[in-house]
Amino acid sequence: MPRTQRNDNFIDKSFTVMADIILKILPANKKAKAAFVYYRDGMSAQAEGEYAEALENYEEALTLEEDPYDRSYILYNIGLIHASNGEHERALDYYHQAIEYNPRLPQAFNNVAVIYHYQGEKAIESGEKEKGEALLDKAAEYWKQAIRLAPNNYIEAQNWLKTSGRSQIDVFF
């Protein structure tokens, strides 16, 4: 049974109804509309923790979606799933692809920084100080980009940049 027929949650059901109405009136071709249906179903499955189903829907959406902006969000969501599964290298690959399609996606920059920061801390803990510091420097660069795009977000990252000496800027916003 398609996910659109299984939603028992009122909010999910409302979103589905609204999305279906928008799809009917949206001046888009059939391929774009089909891509949106797969994307919507992927988001719904992801919200319910059904990651395998979400990935299947996102992969199908990617085969249909041509718009770079929309592709960036599909790739970003695939990255989220891989990151939540601890597959950091795969997540980084998808986040980087999302950034290529949409260089104004601060959450992708932030998530790349979070992974690099985590990897840097782990490297330092295991005695690889030089490698760890290099990863922390990479994290800093990605956080700076995220903050430039969304200056009122990522306050913890702003504090870390300042306290770690990786940024000379006092206030980003």
Side-chain angles (χ1 to χ4, degrees):
M1 176 183 322
R3 176 159 295 281
T4 55
Q5 295 174 1
R6 286 192 281 157
N7 288 335
D8 295 328
N9 179 314
F10 174 75
I11 293 172
D12 284 346
K13 203 167 241 178
S14 298
F15 173 75
T16 301
V17 169
M18 295 280 289
D20 287 341
I21 291 169
I22 291 169
L23 273 176
K24 287 178 183 157
I25 62 172
L26 190 69
N29 64 39
K30 281 186 175 186
K31 196 173 176 183
K33 288 180 181 184
F36 179 76
V37 169
Y38 282 110
Y39 178 67
R40 181 196 62 205
D41 288 350
M43 288 189 334
S44 181
Q46 185 176 357
E48 292 178 16
E50 300 289 339
Y51 296 143
E53 182 181 345
L55 285 173
E56 287 176 20
N57 281 296
Y58 289 145
E59 291 296 335
E60 191 60 37
L62 275 178
T63 65
L64 298 168
E65 186 58 64
E66 296 172 354
D67 182 74
Y69 183 82
D70 292 339
R71 287 181 66 82
S72 73
Y73 280 94
I74 297 167
L75 292 162
Y76 171 77
N77 282 324
I78 294 172
L80 284 176
I81 292 171
H82 289 301
S84 70
N85 288 335
E87 299 170 331
H88 296 138
E89 294 306 317
R90 286 183 82 181
L92 284 171
D93 180 48
Y94 282 100
Y95 291 144
H96 286 297
Q97 288 180 61
I99 290 168
E100 284 180 36
Y101 280 108
N102 181 1
R104 299 196 50 80
L105 193 62
Q107 57 268 48
F109 284 99
N110 176 65
N111 290 6
V112 169
V114 167
I115 292 172
Y116 284 147
H117 184 268
Y118 171 79
Q119 291 175 335
E121 292 289 324
K122 289 294 180 194
I124 290 170
E125 285 174 17
S126 68
E128 299 177 273
K129 184 171 173 39
E130 195 172 305
K131 177 183 177 184
E133 288 297 329
L135 285 164
L136 293 177
D137 289 343
K138 284 175 82 171
E141 292 309 310
Y142 278 90
W143 265 323
K144 288 177 192 175
Q145 188 65 14
I147 293 164
R148 278 187 203 101
L149 294 168
N152 295 323
N153 297 350
Y154 316 115
I155 302 303
E156 288 181 34
Q158 291 181 39
N159 289 335
W160 178 80
L161 287 167
K162 189 173 180 182
T163 60
S164 70
R166 287 182 166 82
S167 177
Q168 305 309 315
I169 302 170
D170 286 333
V171 179
F172 285 99
F173 53 93

PDB file of all heavy atoms in Angstrom, residues 127-153:
ATOM      1  N   GLY A 127      45.331   9.762  19.267  1.00  0.00           N
ATOM      2  CA  GLY A 127      46.741  10.128  19.178  1.00  0.00           C
ATOM      3  C   GLY A 127      47.176  10.717  17.852  1.00  0.00           C
ATOM      4  O   GLY A 127      48.357  10.985  17.663  1.00  0.00           O
ATOM      5  N   GLU A 128      46.246  10.933  16.937  1.00  0.00           N
ATOM      6  CA  GLU A 128      46.586  11.509  15.633  1.00  0.00           C
ATOM      7  C   GLU A 128      46.289  13.010  15.653  1.00  0.00           C
ATOM      8  O   GLU A 128      45.384  13.483  14.987  1.00  0.00           O
ATOM      9  CB  GLU A 128      45.782  10.823  14.529  1.00  0.00           C
ATOM     10  CG  GLU A 128      46.043   9.340  14.400  1.00  0.00           C
ATOM     11  CD  GLU A 128      45.158   8.715  13.339  1.00  0.00           C
ATOM     12  OE1 GLU A 128      44.021   8.328  13.690  1.00  0.00           O
ATOM     13  OE2 GLU A 128      45.603   8.636  12.170  1.00  0.00           O
ATOM     14  N   LYS A 129      47.093  13.728  16.434  1.00  0.00           N
ATOM     15  CA  LYS A 129      46.837  15.155  16.661  1.00  0.00           C
ATOM     16  C   LYS A 129      46.843  15.976  15.375  1.00  0.00           C
ATOM     17  O   LYS A 129      45.945  16.784  15.145  1.00  0.00           O
ATOM     18  CB  LYS A 129      47.850  15.715  17.653  1.00  0.00           C
ATOM     19  CG  LYS A 129      47.589  17.164  18.019  1.00  0.00           C
ATOM     20  CD  LYS A 129      48.471  17.608  19.152  1.00  0.00           C
ATOM     21  CE  LYS A 129      48.403  19.069  19.473  1.00  0.00           C
ATOM     22  NZ  LYS A 129      47.150  19.734  19.430  1.00  0.00           N
ATOM     23  N   GLU A 130      47.822  15.761  14.513  1.00  0.00           N
ATOM     24  CA  GLU A 130      47.929  16.556  13.281  1.00  0.00           C
ATOM     25  C   GLU A 130      46.722  16.334  12.370  1.00  0.00           C
ATOM     26  O   GLU A 130      46.133  17.285  11.850  1.00  0.00           O
ATOM     27  CB  GLU A 130      49.226  16.195  12.542  1.00  0.00           C
ATOM     28  CG  GLU A 130      49.604  17.175  11.475  1.00  0.00           C
ATOM     29  CD  GLU A 130      50.991  16.880  10.925  1.00  0.00           C
ATOM     30  OE1 GLU A 130      51.955  16.806  11.710  1.00  0.00           O
ATOM     31  OE2 GLU A 130      51.075  16.732   9.686  1.00  0.00           O
ATOM     32  N   LYS A 131      46.355  15.073  12.194  1.00  0.00           N
ATOM     33  CA  LYS A 131      45.177  14.745  11.381  1.00  0.00           C
ATOM     34  C   LYS A 131      43.917  15.346  12.009  1.00  0.00           C
ATOM     35  O   LYS A 131      43.074  15.915  11.316  1.00  0.00           O
ATOM     36  CB  LYS A 131      45.029  13.227  11.260  1.00  0.00           C
ATOM     37  CG  LYS A 131      43.805  12.790  10.493  1.00  0.00           C
ATOM     38  CD  LYS A 131      43.672  11.271  10.460  1.00  0.00           C
ATOM     39  CE  LYS A 131      42.398  10.870   9.743  1.00  0.00           C
ATOM     40  NZ  LYS A 131      42.190   9.411   9.765  1.00  0.00           N
ATOM     41  N   GLY A 132      43.809  15.231  13.321  1.00  0.00           N
ATOM     42  CA  GLY A 132      42.649  15.766  14.027  1.00  0.00           C
ATOM     43  C   GLY A 132      42.522  17.268  13.871  1.00  0.00           C
ATOM     44  O   GLY A 132      41.437  17.790  13.619  1.00  0.00           O
ATOM     45  N   GLU A 133      43.624  17.966  14.011  1.00  0.00           N
ATOM     46  CA  GLU A 133      43.601  19.432  13.873  1.00  0.00           C
ATOM     47  C   GLU A 133      43.223  19.837  12.451  1.00  0.00           C
ATOM     48  O   GLU A 133      42.505  20.817  12.247  1.00  0.00           O
ATOM     49  CB  GLU A 133      44.949  20.031  14.280  1.00  0.00           C
ATOM     50  CG  GLU A 133      45.229  19.983  15.772  1.00  0.00           C
ATOM     51  CD  GLU A 133      44.245  20.785  16.615  1.00  0.00           C
ATOM     52  OE1 GLU A 133      43.711  21.825  16.148  1.00  0.00           O
ATOM     53  OE2 GLU A 133      43.985  20.359  17.757  1.00  0.00           O
ATOM     54  N   ALA A 134      43.711  19.080  11.470  1.00  0.00           N
ATOM     55  CA  ALA A 134      43.357  19.379  10.071  1.00  0.00           C
ATOM     56  C   ALA A 134      41.848  19.204   9.853  1.00  0.00           C
ATOM     57  O   ALA A 134      41.215  20.020   9.172  1.00  0.00           O
ATOM     58  CB  ALA A 134      44.146  18.486   9.124  1.00  0.00           C
ATOM     59  N   LEU A 135      41.281  18.157  10.439  1.00  0.00           N
ATOM     60  CA  LEU A 135      39.835  17.939  10.315  1.00  0.00           C
ATOM     61  C   LEU A 135      39.053  19.033  11.040  1.00  0.00           C
ATOM     62  O   LEU A 135      38.014  19.495  10.545  1.00  0.00           O
ATOM     63  CB  LEU A 135      39.457  16.555  10.850  1.00  0.00           C
ATOM     64  CG  LEU A 135      39.835  15.388   9.939  1.00  0.00           C
ATOM     65  CD1 LEU A 135      39.799  14.064  10.697  1.00  0.00           C
ATOM     66  CD2 LEU A 135      38.912  15.337   8.723  1.00  0.00           C
ATOM     67  N   LEU A 136      39.541  19.462  12.192  1.00  0.00           N
ATOM     68  CA  LEU A 136      38.868  20.551  12.917  1.00  0.00           C
ATOM     69  C   LEU A 136      38.938  21.857  12.121  1.00  0.00           C
ATOM     70  O   LEU A 136      37.977  22.639  12.114  1.00  0.00           O
ATOM     71  CB  LEU A 136      39.470  20.726  14.309  1.00  0.00           C
ATOM     72  CG  LEU A 136      39.239  19.568  15.289  1.00  0.00           C
ATOM     73  CD1 LEU A 136      39.957  19.831  16.606  1.00  0.00           C
ATOM     74  CD2 LEU A 136      37.756  19.328  15.522  1.00  0.00           C
ATOM     75  N   ASP A 137      40.061  22.083  11.432  1.00  0.00           N
ATOM     76  CA  ASP A 137      40.174  23.267  10.576  1.00  0.00           C
ATOM     77  C   ASP A 137      39.167  23.206   9.424  1.00  0.00           C
ATOM     78  O   ASP A 137      38.557  24.214   9.057  1.00  0.00           O
ATOM     79  CB  ASP A 137      41.599  23.411  10.023  1.00  0.00           C
ATOM     80  CG  ASP A 137      42.602  23.829  11.087  1.00  0.00           C
ATOM     81  OD1 ASP A 137      42.183  24.323  12.162  1.00  0.00           O
ATOM     82  OD2 ASP A 137      43.819  23.650  10.853  1.00  0.00           O
ATOM     83  N   LYS A 138      38.983  21.992   8.853  1.00  0.00           N
ATOM     84  CA  LYS A 138      37.986  21.829   7.792  1.00  0.00           C
ATOM     85  C   LYS A 138      36.585  22.099   8.339  1.00  0.00           C
ATOM     86  O   LYS A 138      35.775  22.759   7.684  1.00  0.00           O
ATOM     87  CB  LYS A 138      38.058  20.420   7.200  1.00  0.00           C
ATOM     88  CG  LYS A 138      39.218  20.189   6.263  1.00  0.00           C
ATOM     89  CD  LYS A 138      39.323  18.753   5.804  1.00  0.00           C
ATOM     90  CE  LYS A 138      38.378  18.476   4.660  1.00  0.00           C
ATOM     91  NZ  LYS A 138      38.611  17.129   4.052  1.00  0.00           N
ATOM     92  N   ALA A 139      36.326  21.585   9.535  1.00  0.00           N
ATOM     93  CA  ALA A 139      35.026  21.838  10.162  1.00  0.00           C
ATOM     94  C   ALA A 139      34.796  23.335  10.310  1.00  0.00           C
ATOM     95  O   ALA A 139      33.704  23.841  10.017  1.00  0.00           O
ATOM     96  CB  ALA A 139      34.948  21.145  11.528  1.00  0.00           C
ATOM     97  N   ALA A 140      35.813  24.039  10.744  1.00  0.00           N
ATOM     98  CA  ALA A 140      35.703  25.489  10.934  1.00  0.00           C
ATOM     99  C   ALA A 140      35.327  26.182   9.630  1.00  0.00           C
ATOM    100  O   ALA A 140      34.463  27.077   9.618  1.00  0.00           O
ATOM    101  CB  ALA A 140      37.016  26.053  11.480  1.00  0.00           C
ATOM    102  N   GLU A 141      35.956  25.790   8.532  1.00  0.00           N
ATOM    103  CA  GLU A 141      35.662  26.431   7.247  1.00  0.00           C
ATOM    104  C   GLU A 141      34.213  26.192   6.826  1.00  0.00           C
ATOM    105  O   GLU A 141      33.547  27.099   6.318  1.00  0.00           O
ATOM    106  CB  GLU A 141      36.638  25.946   6.172  1.00  0.00           C
ATOM    107  CG  GLU A 141      38.065  26.424   6.394  1.00  0.00           C
ATOM    108  CD  GLU A 141      38.161  27.934   6.623  1.00  0.00           C
ATOM    109  OE1 GLU A 141      37.590  28.703   5.819  1.00  0.00           O
ATOM    110  OE2 GLU A 141      38.791  28.339   7.614  1.00  0.00           O
ATOM    111  N   TYR A 142      33.721  24.986   7.032  1.00  0.00           N
ATOM    112  CA  TYR A 142      32.330  24.699   6.670  1.00  0.00           C
ATOM    113  C   TYR A 142      31.357  25.420   7.592  1.00  0.00           C
ATOM    114  O   TYR A 142      30.321  25.905   7.149  1.00  0.00           O
ATOM    115  CB  TYR A 142      32.071  23.185   6.643  1.00  0.00           C
ATOM    116  CG  TYR A 142      32.532  22.572   5.348  1.00  0.00           C
ATOM    117  CD1 TYR A 142      33.831  22.093   5.205  1.00  0.00           C
ATOM    118  CD2 TYR A 142      31.690  22.512   4.237  1.00  0.00           C
ATOM    119  CE1 TYR A 142      34.269  21.552   4.007  1.00  0.00           C
ATOM    120  CE2 TYR A 142      32.122  21.977   3.032  1.00  0.00           C
ATOM    121  CZ  TYR A 142      33.406  21.502   2.927  1.00  0.00           C
ATOM    122  OH  TYR A 142      33.831  20.978   1.734  1.00  0.00           O
ATOM    123  N   TRP A 143      31.688  25.518   8.878  1.00  0.00           N
ATOM    124  CA  TRP A 143      30.802  26.260   9.782  1.00  0.00           C
ATOM    125  C   TRP A 143      30.785  27.747   9.429  1.00  0.00           C
ATOM    126  O   TRP A 143      29.741  28.389   9.478  1.00  0.00           O
ATOM    127  CB  TRP A 143      31.210  26.052  11.234  1.00  0.00           C
ATOM    128  CG  TRP A 143      30.436  24.945  11.885  1.00  0.00           C
ATOM    129  CD1 TRP A 143      29.117  24.633  11.684  1.00  0.00           C
ATOM    130  CD2 TRP A 143      30.923  24.005  12.830  1.00  0.00           C
ATOM    131  NE1 TRP A 143      28.761  23.559  12.448  1.00  0.00           N
ATOM    132  CE2 TRP A 143      29.853  23.152  13.169  1.00  0.00           C
ATOM    133  CE3 TRP A 143      32.154  23.798  13.440  1.00  0.00           C
ATOM    134  CZ2 TRP A 143      29.971  22.114  14.085  1.00  0.00           C
ATOM    135  CZ3 TRP A 143      32.276  22.767  14.343  1.00  0.00           C
ATOM    136  CH2 TRP A 143      31.191  21.940  14.662  1.00  0.00           C
ATOM    137  N   LYS A 144      31.928  28.289   9.063  1.00  0.00           N
ATOM    138  CA  LYS A 144      31.949  29.703   8.664  1.00  0.00           C
ATOM    139  C   LYS A 144      31.024  29.932   7.472  1.00  0.00           C
ATOM    140  O   LYS A 144      30.302  30.937   7.423  1.00  0.00           O
ATOM    141  CB  LYS A 144      33.373  30.155   8.324  1.00  0.00           C
ATOM    142  CG  LYS A 144      34.271  30.292   9.528  1.00  0.00           C
ATOM    143  CD  LYS A 144      35.682  30.662   9.078  1.00  0.00           C
ATOM    144  CE  LYS A 144      36.684  30.541  10.195  1.00  0.00           C
ATOM    145  NZ  LYS A 144      38.056  30.793   9.714  1.00  0.00           N
ATOM    146  N   GLN A 145      31.045  29.007   6.527  1.00  0.00           N
ATOM    147  CA  GLN A 145      30.172  29.139   5.354  1.00  0.00           C
ATOM    148  C   GLN A 145      28.700  29.035   5.763  1.00  0.00           C
ATOM    149  O   GLN A 145      27.866  29.806   5.295  1.00  0.00           O
ATOM    150  CB  GLN A 145      30.531  28.077   4.315  1.00  0.00           C
ATOM    151  CG  GLN A 145      29.837  28.247   3.007  1.00  0.00           C
ATOM    152  CD  GLN A 145      30.231  29.520   2.271  1.00  0.00           C
ATOM    153  OE1 GLN A 145      31.206  30.192   2.593  1.00  0.00           O
ATOM    154  NE2 GLN A 145      29.454  29.877   1.290  1.00  0.00           N
ATOM    155  N   ALA A 146      28.387  28.081   6.631  1.00  0.00           N
ATOM    156  CA  ALA A 146      27.000  27.925   7.093  1.00  0.00           C
ATOM    157  C   ALA A 146      26.532  29.190   7.799  1.00  0.00           C
ATOM    158  O   ALA A 146      25.406  29.659   7.579  1.00  0.00           O
ATOM    159  CB  ALA A 146      26.881  26.724   8.029  1.00  0.00           C
ATOM    160  N   ILE A 147      27.397  29.750   8.610  1.00  0.00           N
ATOM    161  CA  ILE A 147      27.048  30.958   9.376  1.00  0.00           C
ATOM    162  C   ILE A 147      26.899  32.163   8.458  1.00  0.00           C
ATOM    163  O   ILE A 147      26.015  33.001   8.656  1.00  0.00           O
ATOM    164  CB  ILE A 147      28.093  31.200  10.491  1.00  0.00           C
ATOM    165  CG1 ILE A 147      27.985  30.072  11.533  1.00  0.00           C
ATOM    166  CG2 ILE A 147      27.914  32.568  11.123  1.00  0.00           C
ATOM    167  CD1 ILE A 147      29.180  29.972  12.462  1.00  0.00           C
ATOM    168  N   ARG A 148      27.715  32.254   7.415  1.00  0.00           N
ATOM    169  CA  ARG A 148      27.559  33.351   6.447  1.00  0.00           C
ATOM    170  C   ARG A 148      26.181  33.287   5.778  1.00  0.00           C
ATOM    171  O   ARG A 148      25.562  34.300   5.502  1.00  0.00           O
ATOM    172  CB  ARG A 148      28.650  33.283   5.381  1.00  0.00           C
ATOM    173  CG  ARG A 148      29.955  33.878   5.801  1.00  0.00           C
ATOM    174  CD  ARG A 148      30.958  33.942   4.648  1.00  0.00           C
ATOM    175  NE  ARG A 148      32.291  33.992   5.195  1.00  0.00           N
ATOM    176  CZ  ARG A 148      33.128  32.962   5.275  1.00  0.00           C
ATOM    177  NH1 ARG A 148      32.796  31.795   4.794  1.00  0.00           N
ATOM    178  NH2 ARG A 148      34.314  33.098   5.817  1.00  0.00           N
ATOM    179  N   LEU A 149      25.733  32.058   5.510  1.00  0.00           N
ATOM    180  CA  LEU A 149      24.435  31.879   4.848  1.00  0.00           C
ATOM    181  C   LEU A 149      23.259  32.052   5.807  1.00  0.00           C
ATOM    182  O   LEU A 149      22.179  32.473   5.390  1.00  0.00           O
ATOM    183  CB  LEU A 149      24.367  30.495   4.202  1.00  0.00           C
ATOM    184  CG  LEU A 149      25.332  30.265   3.045  1.00  0.00           C
ATOM    185  CD1 LEU A 149      25.385  28.786   2.678  1.00  0.00           C
ATOM    186  CD2 LEU A 149      24.937  31.107   1.841  1.00  0.00           C
ATOM    187  N   ALA A 150      23.457  31.702   7.066  1.00  0.00           N
ATOM    188  CA  ALA A 150      22.381  31.779   8.065  1.00  0.00           C
ATOM    189  C   ALA A 150      22.976  32.339   9.361  1.00  0.00           C
ATOM    190  O   ALA A 150      23.258  31.598  10.308  1.00  0.00           O
ATOM    191  CB  ALA A 150      21.768  30.407   8.295  1.00  0.00           C
ATOM    192  N   PRO A 151      23.193  33.653   9.409  1.00  0.00           N
ATOM    193  CA  PRO A 151      23.928  34.263  10.519  1.00  0.00           C
ATOM    194  C   PRO A 151      23.299  34.101  11.901  1.00  0.00           C
ATOM    195  O   PRO A 151      23.994  34.169  12.901  1.00  0.00           O
ATOM    196  CB  PRO A 151      24.006  35.740  10.154  1.00  0.00           C
ATOM    197  CG  PRO A 151      23.409  35.894   8.826  1.00  0.00           C
ATOM    198  CD  PRO A 151      22.809  34.609   8.401  1.00  0.00           C
ATOM    199  N   ASN A 152      22.008  33.889  11.973  1.00  0.00           N
ATOM    200  CA  ASN A 152      21.367  33.754  13.281  1.00  0.00           C
ATOM    201  C   ASN A 152      21.302  32.306  13.756  1.00  0.00           C
ATOM    202  O   ASN A 152      20.753  32.027  14.816  1.00  0.00           O
ATOM    203  CB  ASN A 152      19.958  34.346  13.243  1.00  0.00           C
ATOM    204  CG  ASN A 152      19.994  35.839  13.001  1.00  0.00           C
ATOM    205  OD1 ASN A 152      20.886  36.534  13.498  1.00  0.00           O
ATOM    206  ND2 ASN A 152      19.060  36.334  12.228  1.00  0.00           N
ATOM    207  N   ASN A 153      21.845  31.410  12.988  1.00  0.00           N
ATOM    208  CA  ASN A 153      21.832  29.994  13.350  1.00  0.00           C
ATOM    209  C   ASN A 153      23.220  29.566  13.814  1.00  0.00           C
ATOM    210  O   ASN A 153      24.180  30.317  13.722  1.00  0.00           O
ATOM    211  CB  ASN A 153      21.412  29.138  12.152  1.00  0.00           C
ATOM    212  CG  ASN A 153      20.000  29.438  11.698  1.00  0.00           C
ATOM    213  OD1 ASN A 153      19.253  30.143  12.356  1.00  0.00           O
ATOM    214  ND2 ASN A 153      19.637  28.893  10.562  1.00  0.00           N
TER     215      ASN A 153
END
